[in-house]
């Protein structure tokens, strides 16, 4: 038996490694506070749980799902984006449900990267921004997030060959793990960068609904021009205590959404109806 060489390039998944270390400490009798994987420790809202319980009894949900996602779900997501962010999306062409932000981000790498291309990934950042490009046979180039820049990557520092080979740029605000909110002007600069270099901007919006002290986080798609060059990956996981439900969506540029969907139909069969 010989696993593929692409697996050799991957470091052990960070959170699996942390889990192992925590297990060791606990076994040694240490009272550990985990700063590993972020997972809400309160239950999913009752409304959601009872809707699923009811839907699970309906034989209409028992067959293969529609691979574009239920129209009712896409329309509800479009209404939510309109109400919450003032962003009007076309539910037929600009939204596809995903089996969690992780699936979506990983598959965007397969959909957009060739062996000589680059994904620009924040450092520190979510492991899939770097593991995904490697598994796609491409390269991840790290953009340092420094406190003196408000944890914004310095897009002016990315030029030459790296900018030419770049196809994807990952942003994530409110940011994990720094806790930073989006610095003034970064989304606008990212739109310019996307236009200049033909790079798809991917905003991971996992934490827009998890903010404090009255701060209300924007959507990247509110930025003028964002939909020409980018997509947002929106997730129910953190905002609604639904990490186990694997429920997210890609929203934004219709061509990028179509490319993601084309790839995805070859990989999974969609979300439980
Ligand atoms: C938790 C997390 C995700 C994964 O979200 P899912 O929708 O559960 O896959 C993606 N990005 C960041 C930054 C996260 O913290």
């Amino acid at each position: 038996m010989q696993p593929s060489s692409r697996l050799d390039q991957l470091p052990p998944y960070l959170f699996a490694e942390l889990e192992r270390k925590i297990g060791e400490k606990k076994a040694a009798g240490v009272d550990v506070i985990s700063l590993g994987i972020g997972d809400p420790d309160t239950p999913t809202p009752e409304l959601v749980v009872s809707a699923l319980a009811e839907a699970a009894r309906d034989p209409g949900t028992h067959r293969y799902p529609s691979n574009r996602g239920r129209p009712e779900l896409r329309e509800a997501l479009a209404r939510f984006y309109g109400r919450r962010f003032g962003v009007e999306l076309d539910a037929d062409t600009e939204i596809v449900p995903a089996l969690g932000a992780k699936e979506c981000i990983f598959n965007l790498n397969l959909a957009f990267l060739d062996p000589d291309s680059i994904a620009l990934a924040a450092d520190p950042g979510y492991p899939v921004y770097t593991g995904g490009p490697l598994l796609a046979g491409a390269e991840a180039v790290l953009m340092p997030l420094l406190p003196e820049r408000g944890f914004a990557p310095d897009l002016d520092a990315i030029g030459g060959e790296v900018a030419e080979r770049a196809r994807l740029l990952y942003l994530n605000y409110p940011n994990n793990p720094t806790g930073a909110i989006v610095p003034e002007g970064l989304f606008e600069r990212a739109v310019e960068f996307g236009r200049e270099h033909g790079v798809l901007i991917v905003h991971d919006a996992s934490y827009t609904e998890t903010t404090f002290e009255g701060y209300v986080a924007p959507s990247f798609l509110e930025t003028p021009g964002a939909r020409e060059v980018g997509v947002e990956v929106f997730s129910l996981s953190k905002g609604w205590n639904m990490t186990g439900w694997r429920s997210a969506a890609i929203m934004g540029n219709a061509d990028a959404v179509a490319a993601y969907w084309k790839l995805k139909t070859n990989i999974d069969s969609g979300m439980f109806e």
Side-chain angles (χ1 to χ4, degrees):
M1 179 167 48
Q2 187 174 356
S4 78
S5 52
R6 80 173 61 86
L7 284 185
D8 295 336
Q9 299 177 41
L10 283 179
Y13 191 62
L14 175 70
F15 295 125
E17 191 60 13
L18 285 176
E19 220 171 272
R20 191 187 60 74
K21 286 189 179 163
I22 290 167
E24 258 174 35
K25 289 287 179 195
K26 280 190 173 154
V30 179
D31 179 21
V32 183
I33 296 172
S34 170
L35 298 179
I37 200 163
D39 198 343
D41 57 3
T42 39
T44 303
E46 178 49 34
L47 174 80
V48 181
V49 176
S50 40
L52 176 73
E54 197 182 313
R57 298 204 177 279
D58 173 3
T61 63
H62 296 178
R63 307 182 66 192
Y64 282 120
S66 138
N67 61 23
R68 285 198 69 84
R70 283 175 84 101
E72 298 94 318
L73 174 60
R74 284 186 275 109
E75 283 155 19
L77 284 161
R79 280 197 301 277
F80 174 76
Y81 256 58
R83 197 168 70 229
R84 167 70 178 84
F85 300 112
V87 171
E88 300 303 327
L89 291 162
D90 176 4
D92 290 331
T93 59
E94 294 179 313
I95 301 176
V96 167
L99 304 177
K102 188 180 196 179
E103 175 265 298
C104 183
I105 292 164
F106 175 74
N107 279 327
L108 283 170
N109 291 293
L110 287 185
F112 282 89
L113 300 177
D114 283 316
D116 59 349
S117 44
I118 282 174
L120 295 161
D123 176 32
Y126 188 59
V128 185
Y129 309 149
T130 44
L134 280 179
L135 285 174
E139 196 183 328
V141 169
L142 296 175
M143 306 179 293
L145 301 188
L146 302 175
E148 54 271 28
R149 296 185 47 83
F151 298 106
D154 183 1
L155 300 186
D156 297 327
I158 303 164
E161 197 218 354
V162 170
E164 241 163 68
R165 285 166 55 205
R167 296 255 183 96
L168 294 172
L169 175 116
Y170 290 113
L171 295 176
N172 161 229
Y173 295 95
N175 182 261
N176 182 16
T178 67
I181 58 173
V182 63
E184 186 83 33
L186 175 63
F187 283 164
E188 290 77 2
R189 181 68 190 94
V191 169
E192 270 173 30
F193 186 88
R195 280 189 185 136
E196 275 165 32
H197 301 291
V199 169
L200 179 71
I201 311 298
V202 180
H203 182 236
D204 177 347
S206 288
Y207 291 95
T208 53
E209 309 313 304
T210 316
T211 56
F212 304 94
E213 295 171 10
Y215 172 74
V216 179
S219 159
F220 169 63
L221 299 179
E222 292 172 39
T223 315
R227 257 188 293 181
E228 276 166 48
V229 295
V231 290
E232 183 150 274
V233 183
F234 184 76
S235 171
L236 301 183
S237 283
K238 311 294 164 56
W240 288 273
N241 307 332
M242 289 177 65
T243 48
W245 296 62
R246 315 312 303 133
S247 188
I250 186 171
M251 337 268 281
N253 184 276
D255 294 334
V257 169
Y260 163 74
W261 176 69
K262 180 176 179 184
L263 177 88
K264 184 178 164 63
T265 53
N266 283 280
I267 295 180
D268 66 60
S269 300
M271 182 185 286
F272 180 61
E273 291 267 286

